[in-house]
């Protein structure tokens, strides 16, 4: 037998022996993430905003300057392609793994995701136990500034930018459709193409809040949510539709608060959470928020209707449904 042939057979035999003796060597390499699961490009974008109190916001007073930022994730594709985008506005707990998952799924659909951070630039980690750290309406100013920032970006279609918010951030996402609030804090040349709110606090009735832009508004809410109940959102959507708005509410039968968050167990007690589930409020004179039907101002830390303690929790079936519903809606609206 030629010496070279014998050497090749010996190498083959030794390799077979090593694989047999060490099964781990025979295992395939770990699967790599599919290209669609990853952004084509990530950019950290600074933006300027302001921090009004709730009363100042309603009076049209912007408040102190705030230096914020967000992460823009562009979907895979040609480096010069212009794509639609969604501004993601986090809730009281800040940016979570669920926010990351939404961004990835938007990228898979060919949509850019801008993860807006309303907390870090203001030195805030969470508002769960103290909602007075940042009024929900102030986050609407942030959303408008994010809209302007993206509308000027060379890779983003300025007329195809939607906003989507979660809990506290859903106030910014849903009520930014208001023609009044856009007139106070938005830019005349830019408007959101769609508004999406998950488990939105709808229990404050603002003056003229049913007068909105002629764009679709979609609310998604868990039926068993005891942190932010669904009933006030049913009332809001009824008022919007009566005024001619394109607004709907989709209810999820087993949905707790944050039911779309796969990093959460099925039921989590949040014993120190401030919840206004027992409160109904309305805007009174000069931007003051009163308890509904009274002239008594609402005070987050002392009004008797404020409850302490609530629940959150993940529901796989409802989470899959809301992700499918939102993705289908955004693809339909943003790729027209």
């Amino acid at each position: 037998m030629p010496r070279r042939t014998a050497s090749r057979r010996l190498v083959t035999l030794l390799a077979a022996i090593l694989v047999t003796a060490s099964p781990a060597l025979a295992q395939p390499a770990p699967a790599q993430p599919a290209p669609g699961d990853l952004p084509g490009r990530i950019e950290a974008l600074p933006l300027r905003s302001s921090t009004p109190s709730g009363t100042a916001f309603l009076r049209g007073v912007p408040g102190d300057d705030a230096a914020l930022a967000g992460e823009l994730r562009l979907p895979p594709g040609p480096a010069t392609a212009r794509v639609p985008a969604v501004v993601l506005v986090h809730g009281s707990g800040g940016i979570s793994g669920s926010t990351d998952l939404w961004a990835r799924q938007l990228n898979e659909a060919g949509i850019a995701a801008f993860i807006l951070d309303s907390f870090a630039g203001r030195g805030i980690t969470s508002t769960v136990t103290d909602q007075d750290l940042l009024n929900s309406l102030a986050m609407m100013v942030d959303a408008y500034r994010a809209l302007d920032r993206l509308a000027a970006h060379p890779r983003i279609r300025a007329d195809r930018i939607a906003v989507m918010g979660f809990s506290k951030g859903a106030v910014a996402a849903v009520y930014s459709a208001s023609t009044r609030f856009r007139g106070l804090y938005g830019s005349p040349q830019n408007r959101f193409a769609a508004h999406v709110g998950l488990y939105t606090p709808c229990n404050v009735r603002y003056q003229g809040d049913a007068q909105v832009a002629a764009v679709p508004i979609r609310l998604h809410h868990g039926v068993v949510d005891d942190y932010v109940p669904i009933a006030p959102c049913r009332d809001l959507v009824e008022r919007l539709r009566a005024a001619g708005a394109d607004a709907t509410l989709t209810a999820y039968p087993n949905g707790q608060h944050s039911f779309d968050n796969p990093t959460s167990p099925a039921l989590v007690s949040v014993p120190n959470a401030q919840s206004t589930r027992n409160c109904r409020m309305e805007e009174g004179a000069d931007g003051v928020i009163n308890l509904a039907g009274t002239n008594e101002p609402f005070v987050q830390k002392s009004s008797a209707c404020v409850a302490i303690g609530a629940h959150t929790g993940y529901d796989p079936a409802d989470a899959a449904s809301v992700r499918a519903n939102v993705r289908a809606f955004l693809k339909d609206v943003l790729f027209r």
Side-chain angles (χ1 to χ4, degrees):
M1 179 187 297
R3 184 174 299 174
R4 182 173 299 174
T5 301
S7 296
R8 285 200 296 268
R9 288 182 177 175
L10 180 60
V11 169
T12 302
L13 179 60
L14 287 171
I17 292 170
L18 286 170
V19 168
T20 303
S22 303
L25 296 176
Q27 299 299 316
Q32 297 299 310
D37 292 337
L38 301 173
R41 178 178 171 81
I42 298 176
E43 299 179 5
L45 302 181
L47 59 92
R48 305 294 302 185
S49 187
S50 64
T51 311
S53 67
T55 299
F57 177 96
L58 295 169
R59 292 173 178 172
V61 180
D64 295 335
D65 287 345
L68 307 179
E71 183 180 88
L72 175 63
R73 299 187 188 181
L74 292 157
T80 57
R82 296 176 70 240
V83 296
V86 176
V87 176
L88 297 174
V89 191
H90 62 74
S92 299
I95 298 168
S96 69
S98 184
T99 318
D100 173 81
L101 181 56
W102 276 107
R104 287 173 178 265
Q105 293 186 336
L106 289 169
N107 281 175
E108 286 177 352
I111 301 168
F114 183 70
I115 302 174
L116 173 63
D117 187 347
S118 287
F119 283 0
R122 295 182 170 106
I124 299 170
T125 301
S126 169
T127 63
V128 170
T129 61
D130 186 359
Q131 296 295 344
D132 283 340
L133 290 173
L134 181 65
N135 193 278
S136 301
L137 294 173
M139 298 174 73
M140 195 188 308
V141 184
D142 304 344
Y144 285 132
R145 298 292 75 76
L147 170 62
D148 293 341
R149 188 73 172 81
L150 293 179
H153 194 285
R155 291 289 311 279
I156 302 300
R157 292 188 58 183
D159 62 338
R160 292 292 186 272
I161 302 172
V163 60
M164 178 177 177
F166 308 85
S167 192
K168 187 180 183 74
V171 173
V174 171
Y175 290 92
S176 55
S178 162
T179 54
R180 172 193 173 194
F181 294 155
R182 179 172 172 243
L184 289 173
Y185 296 100
S187 300
Q189 69 273 24
N190 299 322
R191 76 171 187 182
F192 286 115
H195 302 257
V196 180
L198 269 69
Y199 28 94
T200 309
C202 301
N203 56 341
V204 182
R205 184 166 183 164
Y206 301 104
Q207 294 179 11
D209 61 6
Q211 306 304 313
V212 297
V215 296
I217 302 168
R218 298 291 181 266
L219 278 69
H220 301 267
H221 215 115
V223 172
V224 296
D225 190 332
D226 70 354
Y227 202 151
V228 175
I230 191 173
C233 289
R234 290 191 173 115
D235 294 344
L236 172 62
V237 169
E238 184 177 330
R239 294 204 316 274
L240 289 168
R241 292 175 66 85
D246 177 7
T248 65
L249 169 64
T250 303
Y252 297 84
N254 301 308
Q256 298 283 346
H257 199 68
S258 301
F259 67 89
D260 60 312
N261 186 354
T263 68
S264 171
L267 186 65
V268 180
S269 176
V270 190
N272 296 321
Q274 291 180 343
S275 169
T276 59
R277 59 179 171 265
N278 301 319
C279 306
R280 290 293 188 110
M281 296 158 280
E282 60 190 9
E283 181 183 354
D286 204 24
V288 175
I289 299 298
N290 295 323
L291 298 175
T294 77
N295 289 320
E296 179 185 346
F298 169 78
V299 181
Q300 182 74 49
K301 293 179 180 176
S302 62
S303 288
C305 62
V306 176
I308 302 299
H311 295 87
T312 64
Y314 175 58
D315 184 82
D318 283 351
S321 294
V322 74
R323 291 184 187 281
N325 290 340
V326 171
R327 277 174 47 124
F329 165 71
L330 290 173
K331 287 177 71 173
D332 177 61
V333 170
L334 299 181
F335 287 103
R336 285 177 182 171

